[in-house]
């Protein structure tokens, strides 16, 4: 009998290939292809007066030099604004190559194709550009002041002003027994995948067909963009996503200029062309995220129960808005987390600065929202002298409240913000036990006796996952009995080849070893959306399950005819369809696949069984109306709205009394992503997210100077946590509240580990130090300065009291 696979801790089937160095990434493809390099702006804001490429034209080995003036048709238009929004009144996108003006350091100006990257880089260095310098706008405060403008036609540097609310927050806060206001900051960071962006293209002159390989999170999106910009029919473009060395959101942004310029050059030259981004390019020309300034006002009663919450924040979207307002919209709606304030208002301005664009980075606006909400919860508890976890529990949505609508808010998918299912008190009970919350004061006293300083922190979150509009799955059983599964979703380490095979194994009754999963190939799956927003399992898994069920029904129907049995009397196990109670009356799925495709010609022994003189009833139409040849099924899943995962992180830190070094002693996660396909894969996703959350809380910060120059654009200067800084032995527990919105009860898990990291660690540091933490990430030197500030403030207050007594 086939062993049940769904829900089991099965080792990832793809890991053997990677561990043996057999991965195939963009730079491994198309050996001998021409290679490209990009001239990028060294200035944050300047007008382009002239570009002189004469010195490049005679370099041996240079095949093409492109500037904006060489672009025609749709290629000469700005890049697409991917997600329009009615409140994005001043959306702006860049050109594939800068036209007239550059708006951040790293913006593409010229594109050189040569025999190899060395020659291309040398050629780029010879291009002369004459600039007229313009004053840069750097940082949210300068963008708000608007003394200078990023785009001359955008008043106040405001790309969008958005307001959402329910109830009357201002009146509720004014009438509340207690009220507080907080001003918070979360700084700019970036994802830093091991592999940067990469694109390879080949033009087939004979078939007028373009083949593109791109390190992307959406092969179908890149395909559509290339077809439009190069004025090709969609069927003329194939986009394949090879192995991808990390995405984390930067690669859902598309099309990057190089994803268009490489195919353009390949067609112009009738030669394969490759572009591979180097690390500095990734720092200065890919996407960043996180930077916001926040102002929070809250009213609450003696138990800490919120009566009103008003939030205003300012979001730095960088120089352009190609991904629309997704990040700040998520912040504004996911900020509410597992809580149910009866009155809420949120307002945000999305602001232009002369810095790298901001698009989703793992967490995508949620870390900022959770930071605002959880800092507020801690402030309420401190004001009332109450336990921080108890204050949270007093504000929880209860299990019986689901489905729960957060007023009339609209989520990032354009649908009402309605939570599908959850048990937040259950999560809190698990977290309390896992981190030993109730016994922490004993731990604190023991540490204090040793001259050590420790603190405990906690943060809750709700994560909208599985956003639409749709995803597809295709399942095909070969005559060998092997099962081929394909989906347009791309893979960057999520374990799709394992998790999707587990679904198919259980649904179809075949061994995992007989299942092969292909992702991100538009030749196999031309209709898809992409891998982002913790949606792969929910969307792709549901579509594949539906497709598999379709194949199963067809197999049973054909087997019933072959075995002269009723469908209800059949079962499938180990790839064999048999009659229940009569296991010797059986037929393999491979044989059924042969019979499913009536043939005129026999190509091997197996196919003889499907030819016209071998098939039984000559009076029966070979393919009945409404049926198709082949044992395969294709289905699409489109959700009514998003599913909502949830969780709680708790952390214990030690802060050195002398050096202010911050050390994580324990880190605990309780997570609910509905039904678990493979708990081991989910554990790995959470562990990786926690590592990024630690980086975002304690290390990773993009530092620009007043001229718009990125000061730490290398791994020499941009700090990331090593294995020595990531908590060892992350303590993890799962809770499963299935979603009623999809056939498998799934919710997303990909971003859960990173979302509450800054909030939880800020909470723990504040608990250790005894003063408010209002800006993240925080370094030891910044914590040291805060200590001095509060010590001086305390001394000043003491002196003032002494003078007046």
């Amino acid at each position: 009998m086939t062993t049940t696979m769904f829900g089991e801790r099965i080792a990832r089937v793809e890991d053997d290939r990677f561990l043996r160095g057999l991965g195939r990434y963009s730079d491994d493809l198309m050996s001998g292809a021409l290679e490209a390099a990009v001239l990028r702006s060294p200035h944050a804001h300047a007008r382009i007066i002239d570009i002189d490429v004469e010195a490049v034209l005679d370099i041996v080995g240079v095949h093409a030099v492109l500037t904006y003036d060489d672009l025609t048709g749709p290629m000469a238009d700005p890049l697409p604004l991917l997600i329009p929004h009615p409140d994005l009144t001043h959306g702006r996108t860049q050109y594939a190559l800068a036209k007239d003006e550059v708006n951040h350091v790293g913006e593409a100006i010229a594109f050189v194709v040569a025999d190899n990257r060395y020659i291309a880089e040398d050629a780029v260095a010879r291009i002369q550009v004459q600039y007229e310098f313009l004053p840069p706008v750097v940082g949210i405060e300068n963008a708000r002041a608007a003394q200078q403008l990023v785009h001359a036609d955008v008043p106040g540097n405001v790309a969008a002003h958005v307001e959402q609310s329910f109830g009357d927050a201002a009146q509720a806060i004014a009438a509340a027994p207690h009220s507080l206001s907080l001003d918070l900051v979360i700084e700019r960071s970036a994802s830093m995948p091991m592999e940067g962006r990469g694109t390879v293209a080949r033009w087939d002159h004979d078939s007028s067909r373009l083949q593109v390989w791109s390190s992307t999170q959406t092969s179908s999106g890149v395909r559509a963009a290339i077809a439009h910009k190069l004025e090709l029919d969609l069927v003329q473009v194939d986009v394949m996503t090879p192995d991808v060395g990390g995405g984390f959101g930067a690669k859902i942004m598309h099309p990057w200029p190089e994803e268009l310029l490489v195919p353009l050059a390949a067609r112009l030259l009738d030669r394969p062309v490759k572009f591979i981004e180097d690390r500095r390019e990734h720092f200065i020309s890919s996407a960043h995220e996180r930077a916001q300034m926040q102002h929070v006002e809250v009213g609450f009663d003696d138990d800490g129960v919120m009566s009103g919450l008003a939030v205003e924040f300012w979001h730095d979207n960088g120089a352009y808005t190609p991904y629309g307002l997704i990040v700040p919209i998520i912040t504004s709606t996911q900020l509410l987390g597992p809580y149910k304030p009866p009155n809420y208002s949120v307002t945000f301005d999305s602001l232009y600065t002369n810095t790298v664009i901001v698009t989703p980075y793992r967490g995508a606006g949620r870390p900022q929202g959770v930071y605002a909400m959880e800092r507020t919860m801690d402030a309420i508890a401190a004001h009332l002298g109450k336990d921080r976890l108890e204050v949270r529990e007093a504000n929880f949505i209860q299990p019986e409240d689901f489905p729960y609508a957060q007023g009339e808010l609209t989520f990032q998918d354009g649908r009402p913000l309605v939570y599908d299912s959850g048990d937040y008190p259950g999560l809190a009970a698990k977290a309390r036990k896992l981190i030993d919350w109730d016994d922490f004061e004993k731990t604190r006293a023991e540490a204090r006796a040793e001259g050590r300083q420790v603190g405990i922190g906690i943060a809750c979150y709700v994560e909208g996952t599985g956003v639409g509009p749709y995803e597809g799955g295709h399942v095909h059983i070969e005559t060998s009995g092997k099962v081929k599964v394909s989906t347009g979703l791309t893979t960057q380490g999520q374990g799709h080849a394992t998790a999707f095979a587990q679904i198919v194994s259980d649904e179809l009754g075949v061994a995992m070893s007989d299942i092969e999963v292909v992702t991100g190939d538009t030749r196999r799956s031309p209709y898809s959306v992409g891998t982002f927003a913790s949606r792969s399992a929910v969307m792709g898994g549901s579509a594949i399950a539906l497709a598999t069920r379709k194949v199963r029904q067809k197999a049973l129907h054909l087997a019933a005819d072959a075995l002269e049995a009723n469908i209800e009397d059949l079962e499938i196990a180990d790839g064999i369809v048999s009659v229940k109670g009569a296991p010797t009356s059986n037929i393999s799925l491979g044989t059924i696949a042969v019979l499913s495709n009536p043939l005129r010609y026999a190509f091997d022994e197996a196919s003889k069984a499907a030819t016209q003189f071998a098939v039984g009833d000559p009076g029966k139409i070979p393919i009945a109306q409404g049926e198709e040849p082949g044992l395969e099924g294709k289905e699409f899943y489109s959700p009514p709205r998003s599913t909502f995962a949830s969780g709680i992180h708790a952390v214990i830190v030690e802060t050195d009394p002398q050096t202010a070094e911050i050390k994580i002693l324990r880190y605990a996660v309780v997570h609910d992503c509905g039904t678990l396909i493979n708990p081991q894969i989910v554990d790995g996703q959470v562990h990786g997210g926690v590592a990024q959350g630690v980086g975002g809380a304690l290390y990773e910060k993009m530092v620009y100077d007043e001229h718009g120059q990125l000061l730490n654009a290398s791994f020499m200067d941009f700090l990331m946590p090593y294995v020595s800084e990531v908590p060892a032995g992350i303590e993890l527990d799962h809770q499963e509240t299935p979603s009623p919105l999809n056939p498998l009860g799934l919710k997303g898990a990909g971003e859960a580990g990173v979302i509450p990291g800054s909030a939880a660690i800020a909470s723990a540091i504040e608990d250790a130090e005894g003063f408010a933490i209002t800006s993240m990430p925080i370094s030891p030197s910044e914590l040291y300065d805060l200590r001095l500030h509060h010590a001086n403030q305390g001394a000043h207050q003491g002196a003032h009291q002494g003078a007046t007594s």
Side-chain angles (χ1 to χ4, degrees):
M1 293 293 291
T2 304
T3 303
T4 299
M5 295 288 109
F6 194 103
E8 295 300 313
R9 290 181 172 272
I10 295 170
R12 299 193 339 162
V13 299
E14 51 268 81
D15 285 350
D16 176 72
R17 183 168 61 88
F18 291 124
L19 292 171
R20 291 191 293 121
L22 299 178
R24 296 283 288 170
Y25 300 88
S26 295
D27 201 23
D28 296 319
L29 307 176
M30 208 66 64
S31 177
L34 301 177
E35 298 188 46
V38 181
L39 173 65
R40 302 188 183 278
S41 172
H43 307 295
H45 200 192
R47 190 169 290 113
I48 298 173
I49 305 302
D50 182 62
I51 304 175
D52 184 358
V53 300
E54 285 296 321
V56 178
L57 300 180
D58 294 331
I59 297 177
V60 176
V62 171
H63 294 263
V65 183
L66 301 177
T67 66
Y68 175 80
D69 290 342
D70 298 302
L71 306 181
T72 60
M75 278 295 295
D77 296 332
L79 299 183
L81 200 165
L82 293 171
I83 308 177
H85 189 281
D87 290 327
L88 184 54
T89 55
H90 293 80
R92 298 291 182 269
T93 61
Q94 71 185 93
Y95 292 87
L97 293 170
K99 176 189 179 185
D100 301 331
E101 186 173 304
V102 289
N103 285 298
H104 69 86
V105 171
E107 186 166 350
I109 296 174
F111 187 77
V112 176
V113 181
D115 285 343
N116 55 57
R117 181 66 176 257
Y118 300 101
I119 296 173
E121 292 280 5
D122 289 344
V124 161
R126 294 194 187 187
I127 298 174
Q128 300 295 313
V129 182
Q130 183 181 349
Y131 299 97
E132 176 188 336
F133 302 125
L134 300 172
V137 178
V138 182
I140 293 174
E141 290 182 341
N142 288 326
R144 290 177 63 188
Q147 294 181 355
Q148 308 293 342
L149 298 178
V150 174
H151 302 286
D153 59 345
V154 178
N157 292 313
V158 179
H161 176 81
V162 179
E163 298 181 8
Q164 290 201 70
S165 65
F166 55 83
D168 189 336
Q171 192 279 331
I173 294 168
H178 307 276
S179 63
L180 290 170
S181 65
L182 295 83
D183 289 294
L184 305 167
V185 174
I186 193 160
E187 297 285 358
R188 177 181 280 243
S189 186
S191 59
M192 295 300 135
M194 292 175 65
E195 178 202 31
R197 297 180 291 114
T199 301
V200 185
R202 175 174 60 194
W203 173 253
D204 187 327
H205 180 79
D206 294 330
S207 64
S208 296
R209 197 172 187 89
L210 184 67
Q211 288 185 306
V212 180
W213 294 261
S214 188
S215 183
T216 181
Q217 293 174 234
T218 172
S219 52
S220 56
V222 171
R223 180 195 190 207
I226 291 171
H228 168 67
K229 286 292 189 177
L230 272 60
E231 298 182 278
L232 296 169
D233 294 335
L234 198 60
V235 294
Q236 289 181 275
V237 183
D238 299 321
V239 176
M240 290 73 70
T241 301
D243 292 326
V244 176
F248 308 118
K251 295 176 185 177
I252 191 59
M253 171 58 209
H254 66 284
W256 289 103
E258 298 83 2
E259 285 176 319
L260 303 174
L261 294 167
V262 168
L264 174 65
R267 187 172 65 165
L268 286 173
L269 300 171
D270 202 11
R271 294 274 301 274
V273 177
K274 176 188 296 187
F275 166 77
I276 302 297
E277 178 185 66
D278 67 30
R279 184 54 57 183
R280 177 168 171 78
E281 285 181 302
H282 190 79
F283 270 100
I284 66 172
S285 62
S286 286
H288 298 172
E289 218 236 78
R290 299 287 193 264
Q292 288 182 3
M293 293 178 62
Q294 305 167 332
H295 178 73
V296 181
E297 296 186 2
V298 62
F300 50 95
D301 65 15
D302 292 343
D303 294 320
V305 176
M306 292 184 291
S307 57
L309 178 67
V311 178
E312 185 176 11
F313 68 91
W314 297 265
H315 173 76
D316 180 351
N317 57 229
Y320 302 104
T321 53
Y323 213 76
L325 300 175
I326 292 301
V327 171
I329 285 174
I330 293 174
T331 298
S332 66
T333 51
Q334 298 279 257
L335 183 149
L336 294 173
Y339 311 116
K340 52 178 182 179
N343 302 280
Y344 175 61
S345 69
V346 61
T347 300
F348 70 79
D349 286 339
S350 191
L351 301 170
Y352 287 111
T353 59
N354 289 115
T355 57
V356 173
I357 62 170
V358 166
T359 66
Y361 159 35
R362 194 177 193 177
R366 297 175 188 87
Q368 300 95 307
V370 171
Y371 176 68
M373 187 73 258
E374 296 301 298
R375 295 280 67 222
T376 301
M377 281 291 160
D378 281 355
I380 292 172
H383 181 82
L384 296 174
K386 298 181 73 69
D387 180 89
R388 287 168 288 163
L389 185 51
E390 290 179 2
V391 168
R392 287 166 168 82
E393 290 171 325
N395 286 278
F396 278 159
I397 299 163
Q398 298 300 306
E400 62 270 18
D401 294 336
F402 291 96
Y404 186 83
Q406 287 284 16
E408 299 175 355
L409 300 184
T410 300
F411 191 46
Q412 64 143 321
D413 57 1
R415 307 289 178 87
L417 184 65
V418 180
Y419 296 175
D420 53 330
S421 65
D423 180 0
Y424 308 142
L427 289 173
K430 285 177 174 286
R432 183 187 292 275
K433 180 179 180 181
L434 195 60
I435 199 67
D436 299 317
W437 181 270
D438 294 332
D439 294 330
F440 180 72
E441 289 308 317
K442 179 182 176 183
T443 301
R444 191 198 305 274
E446 291 172 351
R448 186 178 292 122
E450 298 171 356
R452 297 166 50 235
Q453 190 167 278
V454 296
I456 190 169
I458 196 162
C460 310
Y461 68 94
V462 170
E463 177 195 1
T465 72
V467 298
Y470 72 89
E471 209 57 65
H474 181 264
V475 178
H476 176 223
I477 301 177
E478 299 275 4
T479 57
S480 64
K482 300 289 185 181
V483 182
K484 308 294 185 180
V485 181
S486 65
T487 174
L489 291 164
T490 60
T491 298
Q492 307 92 41
Q494 295 89 345
H496 291 160
T498 304
F500 292 158
Q502 287 179 256
I503 293 172
V504 173
S505 177
D506 275 12
E507 293 283 348
L508 196 55
V510 296
M512 286 272 291
S513 58
D514 287 334
I515 301 169
E516 176 190 274
V517 178
V518 174
T519 62
D521 187 338
T522 62
R523 297 170 302 181
R524 300 278 294 272
S525 300
Y527 294 101
S528 178
V529 181
T531 299
F532 60 95
S534 300
R535 71 189 297 274
S536 295
V538 176
M539 302 298 298
S542 295
I544 288 169
L546 294 174
T548 308
R549 292 172 188 179
K550 188 174 185 178
V551 174
R552 178 187 176 88
Q553 285 305 113
K554 186 172 185 177
L556 291 173
H557 175 76
L558 291 168
D561 283 348
L563 299 174
E564 299 181 344
N566 292 322
I567 290 179
E568 295 77 14
D569 295 330
L570 301 179
E571 60 185 359
I572 307 177
D574 297 319
I576 303 293
V577 183
S578 60
V579 177
K580 298 174 184 176
T584 57
S585 181
N586 63 61
I587 186 171
S588 72
L589 287 174
T591 302
I592 296 172
V594 172
L595 298 176
S596 72
N597 182 25
L599 296 172
R600 184 172 180 82
Y601 309 110
F603 305 103
D604 54 26
E605 288 300 314
S607 61
K608 287 180 181 180
T611 55
Q612 62 264 42
F613 295 109
V615 175
D617 186 357
K620 183 179 178 181
I621 298 173
I623 300 294
Q625 187 173 0
E627 296 183 0
E628 296 178 352
L631 192 52
E632 60 184 328
K634 180 173 67 175
E635 284 290 348
F636 291 88
Y637 170 69
S638 183
R641 59 181 187 273
S642 296
T643 61
F644 287 85
S646 55
I648 298 178
H649 289 205
V651 58
I652 296 174
V653 304
E654 179 176 349
T655 58
D656 190 280
Q658 279 74 46
T659 66
E661 181 181 357
I662 303 160
K663 181 179 181 181
I664 296 174
L665 302 180
R666 291 180 64 189
Y667 202 107
V669 177
V670 181
H671 179 242
D672 185 347
C673 61
T675 308
L676 295 170
I677 301 172
N678 186 323
Q680 183 167 294
I681 288 178
V682 175
D683 287 356
Q685 288 283 308
V686 172
H687 289 174
V690 168
Q692 285 185 305
V694 169
L698 300 178
Y699 302 101
E700 299 170 5
K701 178 164 64 174
M702 292 293 186
V703 181
Y704 280 94
D705 68 12
E706 68 274 20
H707 305 295
Q709 296 291 334
L710 185 58
L711 299 181
N712 57 340
S714 76
F715 286 159
M716 292 280 289
D717 303 301
F718 180 78
L719 299 180
M720 294 191 297
Y722 296 159
V723 67
S724 53
E725 281 75 50
V726 176
I730 296 168
E731 300 161 72
L732 180 58
D733 195 5
H734 294 286
Q735 174 177 283
E736 296 185 52
T737 54
S739 172
L741 302 181
N742 61 74
L744 299 175
L746 304 171
K747 303 176 183 180
E751 297 167 279
V754 72
I755 290 170
S758 286
I761 291 171
S763 177
I765 295 171
E766 182 171 292
D767 184 55
E769 296 289 331
F771 52 75
I773 303 297
T774 59
S775 181
M776 294 292 278
I778 187 168
S779 67
S781 60
E782 289 166 332
L783 180 57
Y784 187 85
D785 289 342
L786 280 175
R787 285 176 176 175
L788 293 178
H789 171 76
H790 285 278
N792 292 336
Q793 193 175 52
H796 176 76
Q797 291 174 348
H800 178 73
Q801 291 172 355
T804 56
S805 60

